Amino acid sequence: ALAKTWYFRGYIYKDLYKEDRFSSAGHEKRNVSIESFLKTIELDEAKEFAGDCAQSLKYLSSTLYNDAAWYLDQDRMDQAQDFYDRYKTLENKINPEMDFTARDIEFMLYKASKLSVIYEKASDPAEQDRLSIDIVNLYMGVIKLDSNDIGANYNLAIHYYNQGVNIIDNMDYELPFEELFMVQERVMELFSKALPYMLKAYELDPTRKATLQGLSGIYFGLNDIEKSEYYQQELEKLDSNQ
């Protein structure tokens, strides 16, 4: 009898949530519904409501995932991460065998791309540094899960490369020699960081024009003119074959 009470409570709050799904009050109703269905499963020894509860929880889990995506679209990263974590927590309870690799990669790539847009618009160096750390960590997180993810390798390389180019574009050549040398060292360090990821992207798809342009630019930045010209020629060959 107790299981049935929790079951009906779950259904009532699920319907209330559906009527009010975009407010914090609606989100709270969803929380109550999730809690109620989980409690039903715990108490339902006869497995009378197990199938229905699993179906409802699957639906509620999908709404958590959709909310995570919506908050990413709004550039509200903390809320997006919170809903994504809650989605995974619930999925783990109803489907302990689930492999989250593909979903984690999808979420991290999308989050990194949104942060990159914010990074490009940011004018405060401290904010840029903070965003850059987050972007690098996300792409590295994807590469850790799948070292052959071409998007993560290419985008991480471009992030490092663009940082170097930005420093060059804004360089004050009136600086004392020692300071100028330190700035140039930083640029070379960024180009060097970009290189292995761009080479990996090239290995994964040698016919992608953007990657060939990237390699030519990185090698030029590293003063390796021979290799820079090699990839420029590869790009021209590709263009002439089309």
Side-chain angles (χ1 to χ4, degrees):
L2 199 53
K4 188 180 277 191
T5 305
W6 282 101
Y7 172 69
F8 285 129
R9 184 176 186 252
Y11 253 99
I12 289 163
Y13 275 94
K14 186 177 84 165
D15 286 342
L16 289 170
Y17 158 69
K18 281 181 172 179
E19 290 169 14
D20 186 22
R21 65 180 69 191
F22 301 111
S23 72
S24 56
H27 291 166
E28 192 46 51
K29 287 161 190 167
R30 175 173 54 193
N31 292 343
V32 174
S33 181
I34 289 168
E35 175 205 1
S36 302
F37 284 128
L38 289 171
K39 193 73 178 169
T40 306
I41 292 169
E42 187 189 315
L43 296 168
D44 183 21
E45 289 175 10
K47 301 281 183 276
E48 189 183 345
F49 308 107
D52 269 2
C53 287
Q55 222 170 350
S56 290
L57 286 167
K58 197 80 190 155
Y59 161 73
L60 293 166
S61 164
S62 73
T63 67
L64 289 169
Y65 182 82
N66 292 341
D67 281 353
W70 186 83
Y71 278 112
L72 275 186
D73 279 336
Q74 306 303 308
D75 294 336
R76 292 163 70 179
M77 301 300 158
D78 291 344
Q79 288 101 323
Q81 191 64 55
D82 178 51
F83 277 108
Y84 187 68
D85 292 342
R86 284 162 64 187
Y87 152 74
K88 283 180 72 174
T89 300
L90 181 54
E91 277 293 335
N92 268 320
K93 286 177 181 170
I94 57 179
N95 186 8
E97 304 302 310
M98 183 163 173
D99 180 0
F100 287 101
T101 306
R103 275 270 158 108
D104 284 347
I105 287 172
E106 181 185 39
F107 183 78
M108 286 192 282
L109 285 175
Y110 191 38
K111 188 177 180 183
S113 73
K114 296 293 287 182
L115 284 173
S116 294
V117 174
I118 298 168
Y119 171 84
E120 281 162 24
K121 291 177 184 170
S123 52
D124 174 31
E127 189 193 358
Q128 278 194 321
D129 287 347
R130 182 181 57 76
L131 288 164
S132 179
I133 289 165
D134 287 344
I135 291 163
V136 169
N137 285 340
L138 285 163
Y139 285 133
M140 292 295 279
V142 173
I143 291 165
K144 198 172 173 184
L145 290 173
D146 179 8
S147 60
N148 290 330
D149 189 289
I150 192 166
N153 280 284
Y154 174 79
N155 288 329
L156 181 54
I158 283 294
H159 180 69
Y160 283 135
Y161 176 70
N162 285 346
Q163 280 185 297
V165 170
N166 286 342
I167 292 171
I168 292 168
D169 287 347
N170 296 300
M171 196 183 285
D172 177 6
Y173 290 95
E174 302 298 313
L175 285 170
F177 177 76
E178 294 82 3
E179 285 182 45
L180 207 55
F181 179 75
M182 282 172 70
V183 172
Q184 286 173 328
E185 282 278 283
R186 174 67 181 142
V187 170
M188 296 295 271
E189 182 195 342
L190 287 163
F191 288 159
S192 297
K193 279 183 173 181
L195 183 59
Y197 299 106
M198 195 62 86
L199 284 169
K200 182 68 177 177
Y202 173 69
E203 177 197 315
L204 292 164
D205 182 1
T207 64
R208 194 180 185 198
K209 288 184 186 180
T211 308
L212 291 166
Q213 286 168 338
L215 281 170
S216 180
I218 290 166
Y219 277 119
F220 186 84
L222 290 168
N223 297 321
D224 190 334
I225 305 306
E226 192 181 330
K227 280 189 178 162
S228 175
E229 285 176 354
Y230 169 78
Y231 286 106
Q232 189 58 41
Q233 284 162 6
E234 289 295 297
L235 184 62
E236 284 159 16
K237 272 189 223 168
L238 206 61
D239 279 335
S240 65
N241 288 337
Q242 286 184 349

